[in-house]
């Protein structure tokens, strides 16, 4: 395992600036997740580290060595793609052993056996080693796909949305699995996704990408609690943070430049108003089971709050709203901090 | 608008029984979700209500009128499919107008109603655009426009959001519910996604293997699941089940799991010694160092306000707890588990049926 560093890396495809002056350091043993929508530059970043693309500017370092110009085959990386492509005519064992049998590596068979056995145990595939790849379920196939990367001990694992083709239940299981495996192996992983839950639950640190730029880098907690701008604030949290015009709550004291107030659903406190102190009316109660989302209409804006499912509030009730820990943003969407 | 009544509805395809006798009423103006895994018979039920399939036996009443053997075109129902089939060579206005034009509605009225539908769906600015360039959300809005422009007695929607990604689905759920609140039209909505059903429905009918497992408002189904199937299908993460062997006598207020006595809602129904399951929702599981029910932490998943902590008990059961993200938890840590007693359910393992208790007052379905 080793540290990987991108330094001022830019990449352009025709007229599209895919990556712009990206500085990023993936620490040894870290699970770093790049989060962003389609076109943010996530996959390009992975491909630059793998050597499948060359940067227009900047340098790529791996374990202190400049690999900017090194061909992909000489880079010590393992890539897991979104679409696992297994060899259908081979058994699970042979699929897992395949990367170790490459002529470039020449690993003795007894070592291969030990390594495949260990990875099969980690991925709970021990009972399936003799099965053909085609006899597996989707989740098992994806685990074999991941296992084929894990049998090697590269400096870094590069993973491109490896869970996105799985159904919700399996995805939830694999999130826990993948994090456990990463911890047990002490692996360094650079993982890209557009799924905020994957980023929040697995990452040591999250890098939020927008339009080829790294907007913020930090632990899931830091990114969630202390976003640098509106883009980052809306990337994490479900439902997304409430963004309301400053004028909607004239009584709230805000820094002067504030144009938009952001407040997370769990920081909106509401109570039934008795004496005409109402600022909003409950439009809809959305049940989640463990909690409810109350959609409250204030003037023409919908404010979503998190409430106890058994709270005594119903559609049509007039309510007063209190905001705890509001976030303030200026006209450009940048965070304004209280001085 | 109208009430829909379904009586003893059955449908077989050759040997296969798709629907095994459903009876339910969709009240006038209700947002009614048929929920269940694929193959449970939900879409077949919807298609029978719409007249796209004929039932093997049973009756369907629409606004009090028996429509069981009427053709789809005579039922005054609008159907929205999962894959919104728009006419690619027509623009948005022509697509929305189509059902009215084919009915021979006068031109001036068509224009007015199309514009009204577009206003409700907030797609007025798209009316003269070609449908081929539209985003998937806008295409779905156009498909909805084509349904609402007819002002039918009821809407049937078959997984209309199935093709959209998660974030967008959430947004469309909000829009669909807001649309329903404006139109107040009786709506039957089919989905396999429990979150869609929980967030939008007034009433959920949860189906399994051709049978109606449970019918009720979302919170009721969540709080008082009639069976293991329901408890497992609804909620994310789903309910935890802790297997144990024991017997219950009416009036009992606790069960024994390993060495620990776990308080439960007062039993209203007894059982001789049998394999049972204690059911606890993740938010009703707490970590408590002092508890006799021992467990070790496997993982903690940060979700903003809450975190999901996965633990394994000394007996080998895996559980998930939803607790505040302020509580520091690390993998490998040893801890104990406690539960919110008034929220727990006890199920018979063999049948999956919930045992009646102070929480589950009414007789559970067999």
């Amino acid at each position: 395992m080793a540290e990987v560093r991108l330094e001022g890396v830019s990449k352009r495809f025709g007229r599209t600036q895919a990556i712009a002056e990206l500085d990023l350091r993936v620490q040894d043993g870290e699970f770093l997740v790049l989060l962003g929508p389609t076109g943010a530059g996530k996959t390009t970043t992975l491909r630059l580290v793998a050597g499948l693309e060359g940067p227009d500017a900047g340098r790529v370092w791996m374990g202190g060595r400049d690999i900017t110009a090194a061909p992909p085959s000489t880079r010590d990386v393992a890539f897991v793609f979104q679409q696992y492509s297994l060899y259908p005519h081979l058994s699970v064992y042979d699929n897992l052993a395949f990367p170790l049998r490459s002529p470039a590596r020449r690993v003795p068979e007894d070592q291969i056996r030990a390594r495949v056995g260990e990875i099969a145990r980690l991925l709970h595939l021990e009972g399936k080693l003799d099965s053909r790849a085609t006899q597996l379920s989707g989740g098992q196939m994806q685990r074999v796909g991941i296992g084929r990367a894990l049998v090697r001990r590269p400096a870094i694992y590069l993973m491109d949305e490896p869970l996105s083709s799985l159904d919700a239940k399996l995805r939830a299981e694999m999130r826990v699995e993948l994090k456990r495996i990463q911890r047990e192996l002490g692996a360094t992983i650079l993982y890209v996704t557009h799924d905020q839950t994957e980023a929040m639950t697995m990452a040591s640190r999250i890098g939020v990408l927008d339009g080829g730029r790294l907007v913020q880098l930090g632990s899931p907690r830091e990114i969630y609690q202390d976003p640098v701008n509106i883009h980052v604030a809306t990337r994490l949290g479900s439902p997304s943070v409430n963004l309301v015009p400053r004028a909607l709550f004239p009584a709230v004291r805000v820094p002067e430049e504030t144009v938009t107030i952001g407040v997370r659903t769990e920081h909106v406190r509401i109570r039934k108003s008795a004496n005409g102190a109402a600022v909003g009316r409950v439009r809809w109660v959305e049940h989640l089971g463990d909690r409810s989302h109350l959609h409250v209409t204030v003037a023409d804006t919908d404010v979503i709050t998190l409430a106890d499912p058994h709270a005594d509030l119903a559609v049509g009730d007039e309510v007063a709203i209190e905001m705890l820990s509001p976030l303030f943003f200026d006209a450009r969407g940048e965070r304004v901090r209280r001085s | 608008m109208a009430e829909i009544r379904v009586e003893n509805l059955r449908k077989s395809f050759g040997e296969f029984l798709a629907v095994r006798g459903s009876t339910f009423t969709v009240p006038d103006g209700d947002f009614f979700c048929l929920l269940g895994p694929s193959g449970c018979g939900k879409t077949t039920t919807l298609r029978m209500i719409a007249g796209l399939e004929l039932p093997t036996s049973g009756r369907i009443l629409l606004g009090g009128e028996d429509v069981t053997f009427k053709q789809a075109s005579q039922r005054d129902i609008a159907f929205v499919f999962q894959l919104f089939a728009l006419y690619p060579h027509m623009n948005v206005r022509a697509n929305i107008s189509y059902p009215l034009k084919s009915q021979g509605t006068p031109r001036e009225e068509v224009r007015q109603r199309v514009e009204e539908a577009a206003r409700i769906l907030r797609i007025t600015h798209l009316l003269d655009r070609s449908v081929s360039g539209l985003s998937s959300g806008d295409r779905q809005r156009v498909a909805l426009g084509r349904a609402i422009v007819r002002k039918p007695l009821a809407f049937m929607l078959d997984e209309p959001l199935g093709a959209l990604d998660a974030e967008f689905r959430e947004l469309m759920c909000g829009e669909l519910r807001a649309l329903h609140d404006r139109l107040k039209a009786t709506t039957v909505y089919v989905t396999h996604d429990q979150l869609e059903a929980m967030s939008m429905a007034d009433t959920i009918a949860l189906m399994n293997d051709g049978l109606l497992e449970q019918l009720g408002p979302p919170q009721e189904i969540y709080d008082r699941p009639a069976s293991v199937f329901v408890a497992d299908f609804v909620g994310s993460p789903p309910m935890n089940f802790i297997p144990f062997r024991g017997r219950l006598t009416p009036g009992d207020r606790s069960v024994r799991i390993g060495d620990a006595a776990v308080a439960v809602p007062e039993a209203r129904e007894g059982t001789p010694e049998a394999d049972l399951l204690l059911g606890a929702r993740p938010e009703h599981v707490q970590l408590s160092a002092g508890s006799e029910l021992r467990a070790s932490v496997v993982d903690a998943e940060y979700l903003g306000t809450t975190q999901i902590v996965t633990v394994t008990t000394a007996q080998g059961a895996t559980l998930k707890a939803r607790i505040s993200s302020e509580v520091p938890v690390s993998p490998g840590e040893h801890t104990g588990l406690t539960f919110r007693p008034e929220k727990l359910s006890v199920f018979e393992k063999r049948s999956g049926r919930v045992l009646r208790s102070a929480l589950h007052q009414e007789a559970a379905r067999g």
Side-chain angles (χ1 to χ4, degrees):
Chain A
M1 293 295 139
E3 172 184 298
V4 169
R5 195 150 49 92
L6 286 92
E7 207 178 75
V9 169
S10 295
K11 178 70 185 175
R12 171 183 283 281
F13 295 106
R15 267 184 294 177
T16 310
Q17 186 75 46
I19 296 287
E21 294 157 37
L22 179 67
D23 289 309
L24 180 69
R25 195 162 65 98
V26 189
Q27 291 160 8
D28 190 19
E30 173 176 51
F31 199 142
L32 196 142
V33 177
L34 291 177
L35 176 69
T38 310
K42 308 183 297 286
T43 300
T44 304
T45 307
L46 281 192
R47 294 174 61 86
L48 284 163
V49 175
L52 302 174
E53 305 287 350
D56 300 332
R59 315 223 62 84
V60 182
W61 301 81
M62 187 176 294
R65 188 166 71 94
D66 183 346
I67 57 162
T68 315
S73 60
T74 64
R75 299 188 186 197
D76 193 15
V77 304
F79 211 117
V80 181
F81 296 93
Q82 190 169 354
Q83 293 299 336
Y84 38 91
S85 40
L86 306 182
Y87 299 101
H89 61 292
L90 295 182
S91 66
V92 169
Y93 181 93
D94 289 328
N95 265 286
L96 288 173
F98 197 87
L100 300 177
R101 288 178 176 151
S102 135
R105 297 201 181 84
R106 295 194 178 284
V107 182
E109 275 301 316
D110 57 330
Q111 277 182 36
I112 291 180
R113 208 172 310 119
R115 192 86 187 110
V116 169
E118 183 194 344
I119 295 303
R121 183 182 55 73
L122 274 176
L123 290 164
H124 304 305
L125 286 167
E126 299 110 308
K128 295 283 172 195
L129 285 174
D130 296 328
S131 308
R132 283 281 196 86
T134 46
Q135 295 168 330
L136 303 178
S137 68
Q140 289 165 341
M141 283 184 167
Q142 185 60 314
R143 271 183 278 163
V144 176
I146 292 168
R148 217 162 41 174
L150 295 179
V151 291
R152 291 180 43 214
R153 283 282 167 81
I156 188 168
Y157 296 101
L158 305 173
M159 302 196 180
D160 189 2
E161 312 231 12
L163 308 186
S164 62
S165 56
L166 306 178
D167 68 40
K169 203 163 188 167
L170 207 55
R171 207 155 55 220
E173 278 171 30
M174 284 300 295
R175 288 201 307 260
V176 177
E177 289 291 286
L178 200 54
K179 206 164 83 175
R180 176 181 59 83
I181 292 164
Q182 185 264 342
R183 211 164 40 226
E184 287 186 21
L185 295 177
T188 309
I189 297 181
L190 180 58
Y191 185 106
V192 311
T193 184
H194 68 274
D195 181 318
Q196 54 153 314
T197 310
E198 286 179 17
M200 292 260 270
T201 58
M202 293 194 294
S204 327
R205 288 190 301 161
I206 297 174
V208 181
L209 282 179
D210 182 24
R213 285 176 194 278
L214 184 67
V215 187
Q216 192 171 358
L217 182 68
S219 72
R221 246 168 238 270
E222 284 162 13
I223 304 270
Y224 184 78
Q225 293 173 350
D226 197 13
V228 298
N229 61 24
I230 285 184
H231 174 84
V232 176
T234 52
R235 283 314 305 171
L236 291 191
S238 174
S240 144
V241 63
N242 289 295
L243 296 172
V244 297
R246 188 264 168 281
L248 204 59
F249 292 98
V252 178
R253 283 189 38 215
V254 302
E256 209 178 316
E257 315 91 293
T258 305
V259 171
T260 306
I261 304 177
V263 59
R264 298 219 178 261
T265 52
E266 65 270 25
H267 294 143
V268 181
R269 288 288 151 80
I270 62 171
R271 57 189 157 72
K272 253 192 221 175
S273 71
N275 48 7
V279 294
R281 184 189 292 271
V282 177
R283 177 176 73 74
W284 173 35
V285 180
E286 181 186 1
H287 299 277
L288 303 176
D290 60 320
R291 299 146 297 157
S292 295
H293 288 141
L294 263 55
H295 294 242
V296 179
T297 307
V298 183
D300 274 337
T301 308
D302 223 17
V303 175
I304 305 177
T305 78
L306 199 63
D308 184 276
H310 303 288
D312 181 26
L313 284 161
V315 171
D317 282 353
E318 301 209 314
V319 293
I321 291 185
E322 185 192 356
M323 293 190 285
L324 313 171
S325 336
L327 307 165
F328 308 115
F329 301 100
D330 67 15
R332 289 175 304 123
E334 294 301 317
R335 181 84 177 274
V336 185
R337 288 165 205 277
R338 266 210 171 101
S339 45
Chain B
M1 297 305 141
E3 170 189 289
I4 300 168
R5 168 114 188 115
V6 166
E7 291 174 356
N8 303 313
L9 197 64
R10 292 166 65 87
K11 175 72 182 178
S12 51
F13 294 104
E15 293 286 284
F16 177 65
L17 261 181
V19 177
R20 302 161 179 254
S22 299
T23 298
F24 58 81
T25 301
V26 183
D28 183 21
D30 205 52
F31 197 120
F32 187 93
C33 272
L34 284 166
L35 173 68
S38 54
C40 72
K42 56 189 191 301
T43 296
T44 306
T45 303
L46 186 80
R47 292 175 62 86
M48 286 192 283
I49 297 173
L52 301 172
E53 300 281 355
L54 287 181
T56 309
S57 63
R59 292 211 307 162
I60 297 164
L61 291 99
L62 182 59
E65 184 198 357
D66 187 337
V67 296
T68 315
F69 296 106
K70 280 200 170 176
Q71 288 186 350
S73 59
Q74 296 173 314
R75 293 194 188 196
D76 202 8
I77 277 174
F79 206 104
V80 180
F81 296 92
Q82 177 169 5
L83 295 168
F84 17 98
L86 302 179
Y87 299 106
H89 59 291
M90 295 182 187
N91 69 10
V92 171
R93 185 189 299 276
N95 264 283
I96 298 177
S97 312
Y98 192 82
L100 295 180
K101 282 193 172 151
S102 57
Q103 285 172 1
T105 312
R107 256 171 93 170
E108 182 52 28
E109 193 186 335
V110 171
R111 195 186 57 79
Q112 279 178 15
R113 278 165 66 177
V114 168
E115 281 177 7
E116 186 191 345
R119 199 167 56 245
I120 290 170
L121 291 161
R122 304 193 174 106
I123 51 172
T124 305
H125 61 292
L126 299 176
L127 277 176
D128 295 312
R129 291 262 297 272
S130 151
V131 296
S132 57
L134 298 182
S135 70
S136 56
D138 284 336
R139 293 172 73 89
Q140 189 59 292
R141 291 184 189 99
V142 175
L144 286 168
R146 212 163 47 174
I148 69 174
V149 74
R150 284 180 42 204
K151 301 192 175 165
L153 284 176
F155 292 103
M156 306 284 124
L157 291 92
D158 187 10
E159 308 238 6
L161 309 183
L164 307 177
D165 68 37
E167 237 159 283
F168 199 65
R169 212 158 52 217
E170 197 175 292
L171 183 79
M172 285 302 289
C173 276
E175 273 191 35
L176 275 178
R177 180 67 217 199
L179 180 65
H180 178 81
D181 290 343
R182 286 199 292 274
L183 296 175
K184 310 249 187 286
T186 309
T187 301
V188 184
Y189 186 102
V190 161
T191 181
H192 67 276
D193 184 313
Q194 58 98 17
L195 204 57
E196 276 180 30
M198 285 292 290
S199 67
M200 283 190 284
D202 295 312
T203 311
I204 292 177
L206 183 48
M207 292 188 68
N208 179 26
D209 201 17
L211 283 172
L212 195 58
E213 282 268 335
Q214 193 170 359
L215 181 77
Q219 197 65 47
E220 175 73 18
I221 288 191
Y222 185 86
D223 289 340
R224 285 183 267 278
S227 66
V228 169
F229 177 82
V230 176
D232 185 52
F233 198 84
V234 172
S236 174
M239 184 179 270
N240 297 294
F241 301 103
I242 306 158
F244 68 103
R245 205 163 162 81
R247 48 178 298 196
L248 273 178
T249 313
D252 281 359
R253 287 163 173 270
S254 71
V255 296
R256 283 210 79 77
I257 295 182
D259 297 331
V262 176
V264 294
E266 187 181 309
R268 297 281 156 84
E269 175 183 4
T271 171
E273 177 149 322
D275 286 326
L276 302 174
L277 297 168
L278 178 70
R281 295 270 178 211
E283 64 275 20
H284 302 142
V285 181
Q286 291 132 11
L287 306 189
S288 147
S291 170
E292 284 165 325
L293 197 64
R294 303 308 298 166
S296 62
V297 175
V298 177
D299 186 45
E301 295 179 273
Y302 177 72
L303 290 174
T305 12
T306 60
Q307 57 182 335
I308 304 291
V309 181
T310 307
V311 299
T312 50
T313 64
Q315 291 80 24
T318 298
L319 272 71
K320 288 184 189 286
R322 185 191 286 275
I323 63 173
S324 161
S325 56
E326 303 301 313
V327 181
V329 177
S330 46
E333 191 179 317
H334 291 280
T335 181
L337 301 177
T338 55
F339 304 100
R340 291 264 305 272
E342 74 280 10
K343 300 286 190 183
L344 300 180
S345 303
V346 178
F347 302 91
E348 225 176 37
K349 190 176 177 193
R350 191 179 48 84
S351 65
R353 189 178 67 89
V354 76
L355 295 175
R356 271 173 301 157
S357 68
L359 174 66
H360 296 267
Q361 290 283 5
E362 292 156 42
R365 277 159 217 273

